[in-house]
Amino acid sequence: MNGGPGTSGKLGGGLLVAGTTSDAGKSVVTAGICRWLVRQGVRVAPFKAQNMSLNSFVTREGAEIGRAQAMQAAAARVEPTALMNPVLLKPGGDRTSQVVLLGKPVGELSARGYHAGRQEQLLGTVTDCLAELRRTHDAVICEGAGSPAEINLRRTDIVNMGIARAARLPVVVVGDIDRGGVFASFFGTTALLSKEDQALVAGYLVNKFRGDVTLLEPGLDMLRTLTGRPTLGVLPYRHGLGIDEEDGMGVPPDGVWGRVSLRGAVRESVVAPPHGADVLRVAVCAVPLMSNFTDVDALAAEPGVVVRFVDRAEELADADLVVLPGTRGTVRALTWLRERGLADALARRAAEGRPVLGICGGFQILGEHIDDEVESKAGAVAGLGLLPVRVRFAAGKTLARPVGEALGEPVEGYEIHHGVAEVTGGDEEFLDGCRVGSVWGTHWHGSLESDGFRRAFLRRVAADAGRAFVPAPDTRFGTLREEQLDLLGDLVEEHADTAALLRLIEEGVPEGLPFVPPGAP
């Protein structure tokens, strides 16, 4: 490695962070290790061979990758690239996903079709990407997906033990103790792996621990006796870690909201009173296949702004601003809004001059007409008719990092969409979209992260809503995000065995790790 304490000067070290389950904390632990390493002077990069997420980002090279990997790149203080997430799967319903390879869409595949052959073909691509990152960095911290003990998928795995075996990476398994059963999860995960895969599992990390760690230590000692592997840290539970997620807020992969409701879910906000006399209440319509829900995180970061996800028409009644977010199923989301009475509620808001913001798919829904022979293949569909916009879905995907100005303030954003919008009127241009009355629409994700623009927009919203809300003059979203990443680095530095992690990264897989029966069948 390069200059960090305890480093040897050797290039290309690596580590795979696996998890006992989905949402065990792999993404945040990977980010925390990246931030801890870069603060030690180590040139580090994140990597996830295959990501399934509707929460994506566009790199400066115009490649689409998982937003979690973009967050991890920020933790590592490097520019995100397609190498960091070579395969991205974007669920589209009906058990199919769009496959994004090296940042560009290459087609739609069913889960069966993907696991029946396409996935194995991609192993060479992902190992090449990892090798390139290892060639140009001191260390690469890789993130797994789901659990490495999904024995039904092991033959075609390229993101857990498949990439670990191919690249000879030591593996650290993260378990979420907040869910319960963490010892059984660690033991069972190890015992279900083949002898060859077990030989790479070097230790465990406990995540989200609450209470007195001394009460946990007897269990950790017994786990080491049972598996021959140490626990390399116990990371405490921390409130308010609002980092970018893959698919959070209980979003089901098939987008069936009847099974998982976001009603009542609230994005965590800065614990601070409103700067003015009133709070500002934001309702986000939890549409099917919701994408890039992190667009509203910058709103939630404002003192006095409460962001709530809703799925009933009556929940829009007391909202000062309603946000229609992006979606991987524009026509499907439009049907859902009509079926639930939300479309009529939005029309009433517009007629009453009450603020609505549509972003990407939400912007398309607000328009007059949608012609979609690509995403839903529904053909001509009437939109909500609240903006003078006609949308035609193109086979090619727009991937861009636009820069502009709105409401007298500079704005940056990113675009990810098949729909091409023709704006035919409006009271005011708004980024690439328009405003009519109190209804706003744009394809730009991430625009609310531009501090001056966000404050100007919230002032307009507050005025239209009749609220004595005043945006705080000193909220810096980029600074808040950096503080979150530093907190993750602190958790690793203070509560993990960093000397052991460095040895794994530098020296690779320890020799003589014991086999835990029965092993994979």
Side-chain angles (χ1 to χ4, degrees):
M1 294 191 188
N2 185 30
T7 61
S8 66
K10 181 174 66 175
L11 291 175
L15 180 73
L16 176 71
V17 178
T20 57
T21 62
S22 295
D23 202 31
K26 298 181 291 292
S27 294
V28 294
V29 169
T30 299
I33 293 174
C34 286
R35 177 49 59 100
W36 159 65
L37 284 172
V38 78
R39 294 193 310 207
Q40 309 307 309
V42 177
R43 296 178 300 171
V44 59
F47 177 80
K48 186 164 184 172
Q50 173 195 295
N51 199 344
M52 177 173 279
S53 179
L54 290 174
N55 202 22
S56 58
F57 182 75
V58 178
T59 69
R60 295 200 182 279
E61 64 196 316
E64 185 179 8
I65 65 172
R67 193 164 172 100
Q69 279 60 67
M71 175 272 294
Q72 291 162 355
R77 295 177 180 152
V78 294
E79 189 68 31
T81 74
L83 292 174
M84 297 173 184
N85 179 206
V87 181
L88 173 64
L89 304 178
K90 303 193 71 175
D94 299 323
R95 297 184 176 89
T96 65
S97 292
Q98 183 180 68
V99 180
V100 179
L101 180 61
L102 293 173
K104 305 297 181 184
V106 294
E108 299 271 344
L109 278 179
S110 67
R112 181 181 295 274
Y114 184 66
H115 288 286
R118 179 61 166 162
Q119 191 174 32
E120 287 181 284
Q121 297 169 10
L122 296 173
L123 181 59
T125 299
V126 301
T127 55
D128 287 348
C129 290
L130 176 57
E132 178 61 18
L133 287 173
R134 296 180 79 175
R135 186 183 69 80
T136 54
H137 294 81
D138 300 333
V140 179
I141 308 303
C142 307
E143 179 189 345
S147 163
E150 292 167 349
I151 54 179
N152 56 315
L153 302 177
R154 176 61 185 92
R155 182 182 62 82
T156 58
D157 170 50
I158 63 172
V159 65
N160 290 305
M161 303 313 297
I163 190 70
R165 284 268 291 274
R168 289 294 301 169
L169 293 171
V171 178
V172 174
V173 181
V174 177
D176 180 357
I177 198 170
D178 205 43
R179 297 182 175 201
V182 75
F183 293 118
S185 296
F186 283 143
F187 182 86
T189 296
T190 307
L192 275 177
L193 300 178
S194 69
K195 182 177 182 180
E196 295 78 7
D197 286 350
Q198 283 192 30
L200 303 177
V201 177
Y204 311 109
L205 270 171
V206 175
N207 190 31
K208 297 184 184 178
F209 180 72
R210 308 172 192 247
D212 183 352
V213 72
T214 62
L215 299 177
L216 192 66
E217 288 170 352
L220 301 180
D221 292 339
M222 286 186 275
L223 181 67
R224 181 161 193 164
T225 299
L226 288 166
T227 67
R229 292 160 173 83
T231 297
L232 302 175
V234 178
L235 307 182
Y237 187 94
R238 286 287 186 268
H239 289 282
L241 284 178
I243 62 166
D244 295 355
E245 303 161 88
E246 289 185 358
D247 278 315
M249 308 299 295
V251 178
D254 60 4
V256 180
W257 295 106
R259 202 177 68 218
V260 179
S261 173
L262 297 192
R263 185 159 29 84
V266 179
R267 295 301 279 174
E268 291 198 32
S269 305
V270 174
V271 182
H275 192 69
D278 283 347
V279 299
L280 202 69
R281 291 164 295 190
V282 178
V284 183
C285 293
V287 297
L289 298 172
M290 180 170 56
S291 62
N292 291 74
F293 56 85
T294 46
D295 281 334
V296 300
D297 283 356
L299 296 178
E302 286 284 351
V305 175
V306 179
V307 177
R308 189 166 185 258
F309 288 79
V310 304
D311 58 8
R312 290 182 177 174
E314 56 267 32
E315 293 176 299
L316 304 189
D318 65 350
D320 302 307
L321 169 67
V322 172
V323 177
L324 269 182
T327 171
R328 244 288 266 160
T330 299
V331 172
R332 179 175 174 175
L334 178 58
T335 301
W336 181 87
L337 290 166
R338 287 181 166 135
E339 289 173 346
R340 289 178 171 249
L342 286 158
D344 290 338
L346 289 166
R348 287 194 296 271
R349 287 187 66 89
E352 294 165 1
R354 303 175 64 201
V356 176
L357 170 65
I359 302 173
C360 199
F363 166 45
Q364 297 167 5
I365 287 168
L366 293 174
E368 298 169 340
H369 178 85
I370 298 170
D371 186 3
D372 180 13
E373 298 290 353
V374 176
E375 189 175 78
S376 68
K377 298 181 173 57
V381 177
L384 297 186
L386 304 183
L387 291 176
V389 176
R390 299 179 68 84
V391 176
R392 176 186 55 82
F393 274 68
K397 182 185 284 190
T398 297
L399 297 169
R401 289 279 295 271
V403 176
E405 181 178 300
L407 305 180
E409 298 286 347
V411 190
E412 295 184 15
Y414 57 100
E415 295 183 61
I416 307 169
H417 54 91
H418 282 278
V420 178
E422 178 190 3
V423 179
T424 60
D427 300 335
E428 178 182 3
E429 291 185 2
F430 182 61
L431 303 176
D432 69 333
C434 64
R435 176 188 65 82
V436 173
S438 60
V439 180
W440 311 70
T442 177
H443 272 131
W444 290 24
H445 294 291
S447 61
L448 294 167
E449 296 178 16
S450 298
D451 297 321
F453 165 72
R454 182 180 64 254
R455 286 191 282 270
F457 178 70
L458 289 176
R459 283 192 290 269
R460 292 281 291 269
V461 167
D464 286 348
R467 292 285 178 188
F469 170 83
V470 179
D474 54 356
T475 303
R476 300 285 184 272
F477 186 73
T479 300
L480 292 173
R481 176 173 282 158
E482 275 295 299
E483 290 172 354
Q484 297 280 298
L485 296 173
D486 274 332
L487 177 56
L488 291 179
D490 293 343
L491 290 175
V492 170
E493 186 169 352
E494 295 168 11
H495 299 281
D497 186 343
T498 53
L501 289 175
L502 274 175
R503 283 194 299 273
L504 290 175
I505 293 167
E506 288 188 329
E507 300 172 12
V509 181
E511 296 293 332
L513 290 168
F515 173 68
V516 180

